Amino acid sequence: MATTLLALQSLLKRYFVKYLLALLLLLAFTSQAEPYYPILSKTEAESLRSRLLRSAPDTNRVKLLVQWSNDLSSRSYYLQKPDTIAVCIRQAQALSKSLQYVAGQIDADYALGYLLRKDPGGREAVLQALARSQQRHDRRRQAIGWYLLSETYEKSMALHPQRIRYFEQAIRLFGEVHDPVQQARVLRELADAYLMQGKPARAKEELLRSLALYKAAGYRKQHSTLDLLAATNDALGNYKDALQYALAAVASAKRSQDTLMLCTYYMRVGAVYQQFDQREKIIQYYRLAMRSAEANDYTDTALGLASTIARVLLAENRPQEALALILKKSKAYPPQDDYSRQKVAQGLISCYLRTKQYDLATAYCQQVESYLKSKNVSTDYRVLHGAYLTIGACCLATKQYSKARAYLLKSLAAGQVVLTRGSLAHTCLLLSKVDSAQGNLPSALAYYKRYKAINDSIYSEKNSKQMAALQIQYDTEKREQSIALLTKRNQLQQLTIRQRELQRNAVLGGTGLLVLVLGLGYNRYRLKQRSTRLLEQKQRALEAQQAEIHRKNAALEQVLGEKDQLLEERQELLVEKDWMLKEIHHRVKNNLQVVSSLLSTQSRHLHDPQAVAAIRESQNRVQVMALLHQKLYQADHLGRVNLA
């Protein structure tokens, strides 16, 4: 019994991290839906917004409103911020109705259905628009309607046949209107439905058709189809093709500068490398995915990737680094909902269990338990299995065996619905450990046998995967050697061509240089002759100019002498004129004073008051005249006098 217990403990330590890692990687990464309307680039979105702000209330404004709202709805696939979009759609609907623009009404209803694709109102809007399209025999809009109608149904197993019929209708109609790009896009969604239905071979056929249509149309953004081809080949066990398609999806996204979902393509590459258990590659590509998610503000995705990378680091026996990463990212991007909080909590529980901080692990375990008991708990069996398994592992580490067994049984029940053999084997191993600790050896042995049976099949599959990995590595090295050989041959050819070109250029350059030197010499001789003639002409012209200047200087000196004499005479006349004017003014002033004095003398000899008054009035008038005269000859301007 003791030997069995020790063996189980050894196996638990060996496989705990490996299987938990495989489980959580598969849970964290599923096929990502592609929005029907491709997301516009930043430049395209700004241009559209500018045109919308300047547009008049006509049919063109309806088209711009619909295009703007569809772009926002496509972004809501990832950012989950659809609240502001309905305003644009309502404006488009009202304007289309006032203009009696039927095509605009159809497009606006489709935009509303695209926005509310998960609500009953969205399906009603799409059905209404589809009916109008059929009345107008508009096959292109009918095709869009059939596709959007499929988007209003949940992607559940029971509804896949119905969604597939809608996809087929859309593909047929897009083919009739000769739109290969839209046809290829819907083929991609059809393949996704087949893959979720458990038909990867059929999904691969449709994806190859989609890829061929894209290439024929010259459409560059093929990365979403390439990514799904990687997932399909992964499901088929074609790991070499899966890796090639995953890397091609990354290259296509970079080449077309469509990096909004680049994190998803990096995650796909990491998931394929996980099949080969190449952990350094897994960490490398998941870190690239996390940086891409952070660059596009996908904070929830970045936080989830931090937890996934942490679990790979745990598998690499780097628990402190894993714990630091989760704490750093959860502080930078605080979880916004219960689901995100419990996912972070599960990652922290794993780290604290590895670092033997059981009190902290138990505290977060209680947080996950509270989530499972809340109304907001997810109904996804994959999510439930991960939560149950984490709590069971924590309870086992803290020796709460009864509680651990209860949660591990729930995990096993959920795992039998959706999960892989690896996760089931790990759950059986943990249950075997719990039963051994409780002394229930028959049950422990049964779970251990079940674990061994599943693990043996996984081991054989792992061997085949490793063989595939070696084959990929061999093919890669062979291709690299071929490329290196071709590169060397090309370099030799280029070197030979360069030598010949150098010789030819040297001969041509020498000939050209000789011709240039001769030409320069002859040109120099001609320039020298012309310069000599010009100098002689300039010398003669200069002598003539100097003679003329001497003559003009002499005439100018004579004129200046006469002018100076005239100026002196004029100055003397002006002085004399000023003196005479002053003398005249003085005499006029004296005369007026004499007249005033005579009137004053006369008034002393008169006894008649009236006569005296008349004399004084005359005297005052004379004084006024004297004052006016004084103002006049003292003023700078004789034309104006301030009478006041």
Side-chain angles (χ1 to χ4, degrees), residues 270-281:
V272 176
Y273 274 121
Q274 192 272 335
Q275 299 287 1
F276 307 128
D277 200 25
Q278 298 187 19
R279 294 173 187 169
E280 289 301 324
K281 289 288 187 181

Side-chain angles (χ1 to χ4, degrees), residues 236-304:
L236 289 168
N238 302 328
Y239 304 116
K240 177 182 177 181
D241 292 339
L243 183 58
Q244 289 177 348
Y245 280 122
L247 292 171
V250 171
S252 174
K254 288 182 176 180
R255 186 168 53 250
S256 59
Q257 298 181 344
D258 183 12
T259 58
L260 284 171
M261 288 305 297
L262 185 58
C263 62
T264 300
Y265 310 138
Y266 280 135
M267 288 165 65
R268 180 74 67 194
V269 178
V272 176
Y273 274 121
Q274 192 272 335
Q275 299 287 1
F276 307 128
D277 200 25
Q278 298 187 19
R279 294 173 187 169
E280 289 301 324
K281 289 288 187 181
I282 297 170
I283 294 173
Q284 174 189 347
Y285 278 96
Y286 272 83
R287 286 191 183 276
L288 288 172
M290 184 170 63
R291 285 199 289 269
S292 177
E294 289 173 330
N296 288 289
D297 293 328
Y298 302 154
T299 55
D300 290 342
T301 303
L303 191 58

Side-chain angles (χ1 to χ4, degrees), residues 153-184:
Y153 289 89
E154 293 183 3
K155 297 182 179 180
S156 64
M157 190 71 71
L159 294 174
H160 279 324
Q162 190 171 0
R163 295 182 69 240
I164 287 172
R165 286 197 298 272
Y166 295 153
F167 286 140
E168 289 173 345
Q169 286 273 35
I171 292 167
R172 178 181 60 81
L173 289 167
F174 277 129
E176 290 179 3
V177 297
H178 306 292
D179 191 340
V181 173
Q182 298 298 335
Q183 195 176 10

Side-chain angles (χ1 to χ4, degrees), residues 572-599:
E572 292 176 358
L573 289 174
L574 288 173
V575 172
E576 185 178 350
K577 176 184 175 183
D578 290 340
W579 182 82
M580 289 180 68
L581 281 173
K582 289 180 180 179
E583 184 64 25
I584 290 170
H585 287 315
H586 183 67
R587 292 194 179 188
V588 170
K589 183 177 180 181
N590 288 342
N591 290 338
L592 290 173
Q593 187 63 40
V594 169
V595 172
S596 177
S597 299
L598 288 173
L599 289 173

Side-chain angles (χ1 to χ4, degrees), residues 23 25 53 84 104 109 141 164 257 286-287 308 421 577:
L23 163 69
L25 281 176
L53 291 174
T84 59
D109 287 342
R141 286 185 170 85
I164 287 172
Q257 298 181 344
Y286 272 83
R287 286 191 183 276
T308 303
R421 292 169 297 163
K577 176 184 175 183

